[in-house]
Every structure is written in structure tokens, then in C-alpha cells.
Amino acid sequence: MSQYPVSIPDMITSAANDEVKRLRALHERKFRKQTGWFLAEGARICHEAVALGWAMHRLAFVAGREDDRQVRTLLSGLVESKGRALPMTESLLQRISRKDNPQMVLGAFGQRWDDLDQVGRTPDECWVALDRVRDPGNLGTVMRTADAVGAKGLVLVGDCTDPYSVEAVRASMGAVFNVRIITCSEVEFLQFTTGWPGHIIGTALPAAVDYRTADYAGSLIMLMGNEQAGLTPDLMKVCTQLIKIPMLGRSDSLNLAVATGVALYEALAKRGHSN
């Protein structure tokens, strides 16, 4: 036992095990809210989370892999949070992840939430605000893109899907650990924007400005609307610029994550940070 950073219990073989049931329950938003935990899959992503200082409360892995270099390093990540190692059968890992080919390891991490007063603390920050985003795949992809362009984080406005759902975390490819996440009501966001010193750029069908001609300089909030309904009228009013992305074919709109990516990379180029 002492050769490992934490105690390695006997292999878990039963789906009725309390730890297995606890991890499986993290697929449910209600239980994620109760525990403050969420699931992340894969050694690389779990390594990155631990390196960034996220608290890992549980590490589930295929029994017998505790001597694997990657797993052994992750076991050390359990020490500070007083977390537990959970060696188990591959079939149980599959039950927890709900994938046919589960990753070798699954980590249960503590969620992090920031407040609106964290936005705009330094000059020339870029944030992405999403109005009532409903699709976890879209949200995860936007997190990944926001991280790629160096945005500080996401402001989730109104009734949004959970950024810590298994689907959103999976789609973020680890970016969930590297962007700040804020949630607020539309009223709170509208109040906040009255003191915002920079641009608020929203996408809207009635917009007159081509996204390639917009002014992205300085502090920036990129405000994207709900997948079906777009931005609310009140949110459109607080935008300093409304942009549109030209549609040359028969489609009248882009997928939310794609549109956000197009706008963010145009902003990155115009702000002079492209590599």
C-alpha cells in the first residue's frame, strides 16, 4: 500500500457499489448540483486539470493499471483533495462513462464558478456570452474555441445547459478546465453591461454590419443567441454592434458553435493576436 501516494483498495466488481453509483449519478444535473462534482474522461485531460489546480475527488481506473505511469501520476493528484482511488473492471468504467470504448481513467472533479464582478478586471479582455444555450455539444465546442483564441471565459445568460455535464465536458476536450464560467440571469447581465467599458458584439439576423467590418478592439463581449430564437430584444439593445455572417447558400443560419468560432477568429485577427 505504501508504494502508492494513496491507498489502493480491492478491485470493484459490482455495479451496486456505492462509489460506482455515485459516479454514474454525475450524469444527472441534479446530482452534480448536490455534490458540486462532475466527470472528466481520459488521462490527458485529468492530468491537465490536476496541473491547473483542480480538486480531483475520485479517480476510477481499470484495476491493475495503478503502476501505469500516467495513472500513478494521477494518484498523486488525489492527495491534496483527500480523494479516493477506485480500481474497477473495464465493464464498470463503461457503465459509468456510458461509452462502448471508455477511457482508461475517469476523474470526478469539483466544479468552479466565477461571478460577474470577475469580468473586465484587466484591460482588453475578451469574453463570450451565450444566451440560453441549450445544446451541451455546442457549449463544449464554444468552450474549446474560447480557450483556443485566448478568451477569458464564458458568461451563461438565462436558462442554459450545464457546462459540467458529461457531454459538454467531453465536447470541450479539456477546455472546461482553462476558461472561467459564470452564470447569471438576463436581468443581472443587462445590469452588468451598463458599466462595460468596451464593445458588446452580438449576432442577429437583422444586423446590418458584416462581421468582417466590425470593430473588435479593446474589451470585448461576444454575445451569441439561443440556437432557435437568437438573442432577446433586450440583449440586442445592449449591443454596441450587431453583426451578421453572410450566407451564400440556401441555409439561413449557422450552427451556434460554428458561428461563434467564425466571429471569435475574426476578432482574434483584428485584435492583432494571431500567430
Side-chain angles (χ1 to χ4, degrees):
M1 295 266 193
S2 60
Q3 64 178 308
Y4 301 108
V6 294
S7 174
I8 307 294
D10 293 337
M11 178 174 64
I12 300 170
T13 59
S14 171
N17 178 277
D18 286 342
E19 294 284 7
V20 172
K21 290 194 285 188
R22 183 179 290 116
L23 294 184
R24 289 186 71 194
L26 292 175
H27 282 268
E28 300 172 29
R29 188 170 193 168
K30 174 177 139 184
F31 198 77
R32 289 193 299 274
K33 194 168 182 179
Q34 285 175 0
T35 61
W37 293 6
F38 69 103
L39 283 178
E41 303 164 304
R44 183 189 65 79
I45 287 171
C46 289
H47 272 291
E48 187 172 345
V50 171
L52 290 169
W54 287 68
M56 183 167 60
H57 299 291
R58 298 290 185 271
L59 179 69
F61 57 93
V62 177
R65 297 286 184 90
E66 51 266 31
D67 287 316
D68 180 277
R69 182 177 57 83
Q70 289 185 313
V71 174
R72 199 179 183 100
T73 304
L74 284 172
L75 290 172
S76 299
L78 292 168
V79 175
E80 190 171 340
S81 60
K82 297 182 172 59
R84 296 181 187 172
L86 304 175
M88 60 182 63
T89 64
E90 190 170 341
S91 63
L92 285 179
L93 269 183
Q94 183 175 321
R95 286 181 73 115
I96 294 168
S97 72
R98 298 184 183 174
K99 286 176 71 178
D100 290 335
N101 53 341
Q103 298 275 357
M104 185 174 68
V105 298
L106 290 169
F109 291 87
Q111 299 172 21
R112 287 184 186 176
W113 298 93
D114 278 291
D115 298 316
L116 269 175
D117 63 9
Q118 299 293 311
V119 179
R121 289 201 165 186
T122 56
D124 299 339
E125 287 184 357
C126 176
W127 288 78
V128 181
L130 299 176
D131 170 29
R132 296 164 297 146
V133 59
R134 298 292 169 82
D135 184 271
N138 276 340
L139 178 51
T141 303
V142 170
M143 284 192 276
R144 188 177 179 185
T145 306
D147 183 33
V149 301
K152 287 283 188 180
L154 277 69
V155 182
L156 304 179
V157 183
D159 183 18
C160 290
T161 191
D162 186 0
Y164 290 112
S165 71
V166 172
E167 296 80 9
V169 172
R170 193 177 281 160
S172 84
M173 294 295 288
V176 68
F177 294 110
N178 207 36
V179 292
R180 293 179 175 179
I181 300 173
I182 293 161
T183 182
C184 63
S185 68
E186 182 174 327
V187 170
E188 288 169 332
F189 183 75
L190 292 172
Q191 289 172 343
F192 167 79
T193 59
T194 60
W196 180 248
H199 292 298
I200 300 173
I201 297 180
T203 52
L205 289 177
V209 178
D210 187 298
Y211 81 105
R212 292 165 292 193
T213 64
D215 182 1
Y216 297 98
S219 298
L220 172 65
I221 295 176
M222 190 74 71
L223 178 57
M224 310 297 292
N226 168 266
E227 289 98 335
Q228 278 77 43
L231 292 172
T232 67
D234 285 341
L235 288 174
M236 280 195 272
K237 283 178 190 173
V238 300
C239 292
T240 57
Q241 300 171 85
L242 287 172
I243 60 172
K244 62 182 177 182
I245 298 172
M247 307 293 298
L248 303 183
R250 294 183 63 85
S251 297
D252 60 2
S253 65
L254 285 174
N255 166 272
L256 170 65
V258 172
T260 305
V262 168
L264 283 176
Y265 268 95
E266 184 66 19
L268 180 70
K270 291 284 170 59
R271 289 159 68 84
H273 301 302
S274 57
N275 294 320

